Amino acid sequence: MPKIYLDGNSLTFDDVLAIANDKSAIVCLDEKAKTNIKRAADAVDDFVMKGEIVYGITTGFGAFKDRIIPTDQVELLQHNILVSHAVGVGPALDEPATRAMMLIRANTLAKGHSGIRVKTLELLCSMLNHGIHPVVPSKGSLGASGDLAPLAHMALPLIGLGEVIYQGRKMPSAEAFSLAALKPIKLAAKEGLALTNGTAFMAAVGLLVTHQAEELLLAADIAGSMSLEALNGTPRAFDPRIHEVRPHPRQIQSAAIIRELISGSEFTREDNPLNVQDAYSLRCIPQVHGAIRDAILYARWVIEIELNSVTDNPLIFFDIAGKPSILSGGNFHGEPLAIALDFLSIALTELGNISERRTARLVDASSNGQLLPAFLIKDGGLNSGFMLMQYTAAALASENKVYSHPSSTDSIPCSANIEDHVSMGPNAACHACEISSNLEAILAIELMAAAQAIDFRKQNSQGLKLGKGTAIAYALIRGQVPFIEKDTLMYPYLNKIQDLIQTSRLTQAVSSITTCINK
């Protein structure tokens, strides 16, 4: 049972994955972190007691920054930010994304600069530990002033409002708290603002889609390698000498992965002076996949920093003597995440583009030099074979091009033009999710088509061996999908190949024989 102690400094990418996907995991506050949290909460109490004018504590929010809030209403102000800001719409986040968001928010608040109380933060951790998951609509955040609407929905159960999923059903949060023997609280000064003003939504969704992208890229390496063999391609383009003279590290790594996957293959062709090179979608796999590896690594790097960053406003600091001061800034602005996730979307769209082109080459007899029957089926005409599989891949690749329009290049001023530039990072995160879902199907289509093509090659050349990595992938695919002799319902088979990708069974099986993947 995983147990993670939050201190605002030590949360890792893999920690978030573990908590997001395991409801039995336990989340606790680090004891030293509790001291820092309490110190900041005490400073907030002191500001209020002295009647100091502090944004979001004794003033309104956004364009109401110049409205002074009477001392006896500072707690009501924090209640009001949750109820007024919980206006998200659209499909609710799934359980892993909700858990990741709760964990990330708790960790950033545990750093001790936000003014939230220990007991409030412990209640948020208790919700995670009990498997009480707020219903959080996925649309409505601008990604500056933080993910206000989603985080307000996340925080509502703390004050006994909103809806949650608990024990497999949707219910009012008050009912879930009663069943779990938890009690809602009344927020103190600064707490509502601390809970809502941050980047936890886009960081959580971005982290999960970045992890999915890592899996999809290896699946694409496998698919590309199988297509290379199915099309009797040449391994010359993956010779390390070519890549060493253009020393992009991930291009070099991608070429090495392909070499390992096809090692020992008898399906590739020897040197032929009349046919020394393949189409770009085969020959340029290392250059394209390598660039995509760079984009994924960049997204991971940005997110890993964000996990242990304080992203609300204003922030409380202490001098050497322990005297508190409070500073207003803009750490809630999601631009670092927005740009990284837009970059990720563009990269994943390209991964789908090159995969679809390989599928098109597999099904088009004129493109593959009549090596394979048209649309990978016997008795073409009577049977359409994989014709519509390529249509689906093309449709999804085209849709991804729309989703990959950069969200971060857009901005709509809000709050009476006080918040006049926003990141649209949540849109970037959600679009990356749509693209990765489409990409999963595009790659499943290529894998299924490549296996079909390999079987046709086998019929014409008995006894040929696949590479050491592609042989494993082929066997897994054939364990789920037979050779297609004639037209039949294809979508159940396609779903099975998608499941191989979703569950990581394909990538885990093939990873066992590679040494280049995690370099």
Side-chain angles (χ1 to χ4, degrees), residues 29-42 109-110 115-126 185 191:
L29 293 179
D30 176 80
E31 287 302 317
K32 184 178 179 181
K34 289 182 184 180
T35 301
N36 295 333
I37 295 163
K38 184 178 185 302
R39 181 174 67 163
D42 289 345
L109 295 174
I116 197 169
R117 294 172 298 172
V118 170
K119 74 173 187 178
T120 304
L121 204 45
E122 285 184 328
L123 183 56
L124 181 58
C125 291
S126 293
I185 59 172
E191 291 194 306

Side-chain angles (χ1 to χ4, degrees), residues 231-309:
L231 290 164
N232 194 32
T234 174
R236 289 171 65 96
F238 311 104
D239 188 302
R241 292 171 292 181
I242 294 173
H243 305 283
E244 286 166 2
V245 296
R246 193 195 191 192
H248 291 283
R250 257 59 67 184
Q251 176 181 324
I252 292 171
Q253 180 188 12
S254 296
I257 290 170
I258 301 298
R259 288 197 303 273
E260 277 202 300
L261 292 173
I262 64 172
S263 175
S265 176
E266 296 173 350
F267 275 77
T268 55
R269 70 177 186 274
E270 300 297 326
D271 291 350
N272 180 343
L274 299 178
N275 190 9
V276 297
Q277 57 191 31
D278 293 316
Y280 288 1
S281 59
L282 298 173
R283 194 194 333 163
C284 300
I285 289 174
Q287 289 79 5
V288 176
H289 288 202
I292 292 162
R293 271 194 165 78
D294 280 326
I296 294 171
L297 282 171
Y298 178 65
R300 178 185 263 264
W301 177 74
V302 170
I303 289 164
E304 285 176 337
I305 293 171
E306 197 75 0
L307 295 181
N308 296 291
S309 298

